Each structure stands twice: as structure tokens, then as C-alpha cells.
Amino acid sequence: MRPLTGRQELLRYAIASVPLVMIGLGWVFIVAQGIAEWPMGVLDLALGVVGLILLRWRRRLPFTIAVVTALLTAWSGSATGAASVALVSLATHRDVRRTAVACAVQWLAFVSTSFVDDGWEWGEATLVAAIGGAVTIACLVGFGLYLRSTRDLALSEERRREAERRDGLERARAGERASIAREMHDVLAHRLSILSLHAGALAHRIDLTADEVRQAAAVIRDNAHASLEELRVTLGSLREEDPLGGPQPSFDDLAALVAEVREAGQRVGYRATLEHVEQLPPQVGRHVYRIVQEALTNARKHAPGAPVTVELSGASGTSVEVRVTNVAGSPGEAPVSSDGLGLIGLGERAALLGGTLTHHNDGDRFVVEASLPWSVTP
């Protein structure tokens, strides 16, 4: 059971002290009037104080404290407050058998005083005490069960919120992993496809001159070094609070990308007719870059040596249209196997911006088309 706050504990002691204070004032009045003597009043108040002190252990020993404080009420009316708080505390534990025993003891204590005053006979005062005591005890037990239900409900709600928080964290982590996986695929697939293209040329071409071999080896070396560097940066983002928070490619880097693949031997036609390109949001430009990069990588994998055409169009306030087309590969060139994850990743990128991406065969050509909104609403 969750420990009570200082305010809650103080409230319970205040409730238990009400009968003690009221009966104490009553004893002062009747002693002043000469109706009774102080020894009886002191005994009554002393037992009430003992009941308050015993409440300190009511959560550790709920049954024992409830029974002892109930017995005190047989000789002390000022102990009824402590007995009531102890009974409510016991009822919150939902121990039916022990609660029933404590209720019986408290009810007998209620009745015993009136029974003695009626001359050990079952008179009207005893009957009123029996009925009143039963109703009071039932109310106390019901209140205890209500408190327990309220606490259980609050605890269940807290656990539900904690579970939702953990689920949210797991979804966030999964999203970050997926983002990193897409970045690794886009970066490394592009580099490794260039390596594969030149390695294949070195393996199958026996008519290359020494200078051509050196050039191909230099390209392989440079791209291998670039792959390792980009892999280091991408994996390093896993250790940061903001994964992939470093510099990302932008639309302005597309020309350098096309120049790089042309230098690697891929025949690429590039035409961009975007209006007000300086107003293009960085997020859209980064996705356009990745889509073109992955489309060029796919062309090198599945149609090595085939010419590729990249066309970009659009204007501010409309959309960015991307179209990448490649024809069938050169005879004798074996395409590299692929799992198709690249195109799936491209579709996810387009969907993240509220755009679309399609790919299809158009005769002897393979076409990748994407339409991305110019402006992105978070």
C-alpha cells in the first residue's frame, strides 16, 4: 500500500482527535458542575490519548490496532475517534475475515456500556446503542472500501499512463532506428553500387590501360573511404541525443551528386526547371536528394551501363515533381541482386511529407516518379 502524504496523515489524526477534544470539554463542564469526579475523566482522556498513539502502527498492524482501539471504547468515549480511523484503515486492506472480527469487537464495545448502564438488562438504551453502533460500523467499513477502490483506481490509471509513456518511448526509439536505417541504406547503397560497378569493370575488362586501371582503383579507394566516413557519422548519431542531427544533404547538393556518378562512369542526363528554388524547404530538398540518389543507385544495380534521365520540375505553392528514367542495361552486364528495400524507403520518405511515389515499367524503360508538396506542415 502506498504511504500517505503528510497532509493525509495529519487529516486522519485530526479526525481521530475530534471525539477526544469534545469529550474532554464535556468532562471539564461536568466536573465544574460537580456532577462527576476528575479520576473518571482523566482515565477516559488518557485512554483516548493511548488510542491516538496506537494509530501510528495501524498500517503495519491494522488488525491488532483496530481490535485494541475498539476495546478501549468500552471504557473511554474519547477513544472512539481512534477506533473509527483504525477500522477504516483495516477495511482498506480488504481482509474480510479480520475486518468482520474487528467490527464485532467494536460493536460489542458500543453495546457493553449501555448494557451495564441498563443494569445488565437489554433495555431501550442498549437497543439504540446496538442499532446505532451497527449503522456506524457499516458506514466506516463502507468508507474504507471506498478509499481502497479510489486508491486502486488511481494506481491503475498511473500504471496505464506509465505503460503509455513506455510505449511512446519505444515507438520513438523504433522511429529513430528506422530513420537511421533509411539513412544508412541511402548513403551506403549509393557508395557500394559505385564500388561494385568499378570492381566489375576491373574484373571483366582485360583491355584497360594502366592509367584506366589506376583511375578505377582511385575511384574505388575514394568511395570506400567516403563509405567508411559516412558510416561512422551515421553510427555516431546513435550515441547522440538528436540522431542524424548533423549536416544532411540538401537540394543544392544534387548537382554534385550527378557529377560524382558521372565521374564514376554512369551516364546521367539531368534537367531541373524548378521556379523559386531558393524558397524550397530544406526538408523537401533533402528528400528530393535522397529519392534521386536511390533511383540512380537502383539504375546502377539493375541496369548497369544504361543511360539515366533525371527530371525535376515544380514551383512555389504547388509541388516538386521528380522523374527518373533508365532504359535496359547493356548486353552482357549482370544486374546486382536487390531486396527492394530502397523503393520501399523512398515510398516512406514521400509519405512522410504527404506526397506520393510510384514506379513502373514503361516498355523497355523503368520509371520512378515522385510528387512532393512544396510546403510542409509539421
Side-chain angles (χ1 to χ4, degrees), residues 340-356:
L341 294 179
L343 291 175
I344 295 176
L346 295 185
E348 291 178 356
R349 285 186 177 275
L352 286 174
L353 295 180
T356 59

Side-chain angles (χ1 to χ4, degrees), residues 1 60-64 66 86-103 141 144-145 148:
M1 184 178 295
R60 187 185 307 173
L61 303 169
F63 175 70
T64 302
L87 183 60
V88 170
S89 181
L90 175 62
T92 59
H93 287 74
R94 292 184 178 175
D95 190 335
V96 178
R97 182 177 60 84
R98 293 188 175 185
T99 301
V101 173
C103 289
V141 172
L145 294 176
R148 179 58 182 264

Side-chain angles (χ1 to χ4, degrees), residues 198-214 216-217:
H198 284 271
L202 290 177
H204 298 289
R205 296 283 299 277
I206 60 175
D207 57 341
L208 297 177
T209 65
D211 288 339
E212 291 174 332
V213 171
R214 280 194 297 270

Side-chain angles (χ1 to χ4, degrees), residues 165-177:
R165 187 186 69 84
R166 288 196 300 268
D167 291 343
L169 289 175
E170 288 301 322
R171 287 194 296 269
R173 293 191 184 101
E176 290 175 1
R177 295 189 189 105

Side-chain angles (χ1 to χ4, degrees), residues 253-310:
D253 297 319
L254 266 175
L257 172 67
V258 173
E260 179 185 19
V261 297
R262 283 172 175 170
E263 185 179 352
Q266 189 172 16
R267 291 180 290 168
V268 179
Y270 177 66
R271 183 170 65 253
T273 58
L274 276 75
E275 300 178 7
H276 310 293
V277 67
E278 68 280 356
Q279 300 177 9
L280 186 67
Q283 184 178 4
V284 178
R286 182 169 65 252
H287 282 68
V288 170
Y289 179 95
R290 291 303 190 193
I291 289 173
V292 173
Q293 181 187 53
E294 177 61 25
L296 292 176
T297 301
N298 281 340
R300 284 195 301 273
K301 287 182 179 179
H302 301 287
V308 184
T309 302
V310 178

Side-chain angles (χ1 to χ4, degrees), residues 4-17:
L4 299 176
T5 63
R7 180 178 297 182
Q8 292 172 329
E9 194 72 28
L10 182 62
L11 177 62
R12 282 153 178 76
Y13 274 98
I15 294 173
S17 300

